[in-house]
Amino acid sequence: MKLVYTGKTKDVFALDNGNYLLRFKDDCTGKDGVFDPGENSVGLTIEGVGNVNLRMTKHFFEKINAAGIRTHYVSADLKETTMEVLPAKVFGHGLEVICRLKAVGSFRRRYGEYIERTTSNGEGEYGKSNPDATGRADLPTMQKVRQELWDMSSAKSSKLTYDDIKAMTQKITEIVADDLREKGLVLYDIKFEYGYAPDGSVMLIDEISSGNMRVYRDGKYIDPMTLSELFFA
């Protein structure tokens, strides 16, 4: 096993079988000692957070794989806080896809003149939820910008289209949202990352943990650490 990359929240090791091992760390992104998943640097260390993130990732990846949607997940060892994954090549420089079920956060700040806060995206229906390869534009031109960004991301080398990824994202979002709803929690938006498998097919990569999503209960935002505690209570 060889260390090939040291990240903010995970270290990556190459395995002899051609796969990779991700070791989840207790380091968290944030600023001035305050946890913030939107920050791009490590701001604090929270004991046990790596294990909790891996536990949630394992839970959802196994459900998504069982639903017939491909991911890079192979197995996880909660005791060692590690996850074995298939090798993957990211889209472009790491294109993120955000599925927004309600208008909050940066989306609301950008397009507030067009929509009210917490407006449902397509009346909250998964079939109309909106995966967004995010670009800055006024609302009428957003779809065009997304398509252009998608084309730039190197997705042309895949047989999958923007609409295919959109449908894939909606199915994954439904799996996550349904689990949260059973616990009295409401998913507002969630971030995913996709990559190419060695055979050229597209699969879900990275992780699905509380820091990737915005969740509310009784109209109040739940911070990622509290969300993890509630989810596994």
Side-chain angles (χ1 to χ4, degrees):
M1 187 169 70
K2 179 182 178 181
L3 177 65
V4 294
Y5 179 75
T6 299
K8 295 185 292 292
T9 60
K10 291 186 287 292
D11 290 335
V12 183
F13 299 84
L15 298 175
D16 293 338
N17 63 4
N19 291 341
Y20 288 87
L21 191 74
L22 308 182
R23 177 167 291 155
F24 286 63
K25 301 191 287 190
D26 288 343
D27 293 337
C28 303
T29 54
K31 188 176 182 179
D32 299 327
V34 178
F35 179 42
D36 183 352
E39 281 291 329
N40 198 35
S41 61
V42 173
L44 70 161
T45 298
I46 302 176
E47 185 177 357
V49 71
N51 187 269
V52 170
N53 288 340
L54 174 60
R55 187 179 175 191
M56 185 174 287
T57 297
K58 176 181 183 291
H59 171 85
F60 282 120
F61 272 154
E62 288 180 350
K63 274 205 161 188
I64 293 164
N65 281 345
I69 302 170
R70 191 171 189 186
T71 76
H72 72 160
Y73 175 84
V74 176
S75 63
D77 186 332
L78 295 178
K79 184 177 180 180
E80 297 295 329
T81 321
T82 58
M83 180 170 74
E84 182 177 348
V85 299
L86 299 171
K89 179 181 179 182
V90 300
F91 294 160
H93 297 289
L95 182 68
E96 294 176 342
V97 178
I98 302 172
C99 192
R100 306 179 190 276
L101 300 177
K102 289 183 178 290
V104 291
S106 61
F107 186 89
R108 173 71 176 84
R109 290 192 294 273
R110 291 180 195 171
Y111 308 115
E113 62 184 282
Y114 300 101
I115 51 179
E116 295 296 326
R117 183 178 180 275
T118 73
T119 298
S120 294
N121 192 352
E123 300 179 354
E125 301 174 23
Y126 297 120
K128 296 181 181 179
S129 57
N130 189 18
D132 179 12
T134 308
R136 294 181 180 274
D138 57 64
L139 201 60
T141 62
M142 281 171 60
Q143 184 64 39
K144 180 180 178 181
V145 172
R146 294 186 195 120
Q147 186 65 56
E148 290 174 353
L149 288 172
W150 185 255
D151 291 341
M152 289 170 59
S153 74
S154 81
K156 287 182 176 179
S157 62
S158 169
K159 294 181 180 179
L160 288 183
T161 65
Y162 175 88
D163 288 338
D164 292 326
I165 295 295
K166 177 178 179 179
M168 189 174 176
T169 298
Q170 289 168 336
K171 290 178 182 177
I172 298 169
T173 300
E174 182 175 1
I175 291 170
V176 176
D178 284 349
D179 264 20
L180 291 168
R181 187 182 298 107
E182 290 178 1
K183 300 175 184 296
L185 307 171
V186 181
L187 178 67
Y188 275 36
D189 58 33
I190 186 168
K191 177 181 69 177
F192 301 113
E193 189 171 344
Y194 294 94
Y196 295 113
D199 64 3
S201 61
V202 173
M203 58 186 178
L204 181 68
I205 63 172
D206 197 34
E207 65 179 274
I208 298 180
S209 61
S210 57
N212 297 106
M213 61 187 80
R214 189 178 281 113
V215 176
Y216 284 66
R217 183 174 64 175
D218 299 328
K220 296 182 180 180
Y221 170 69
I222 303 173
D223 68 83
M225 289 303 299
T226 301
L227 173 57
S228 295
E229 294 172 1
L230 292 172
F231 189 82
F232 291 113

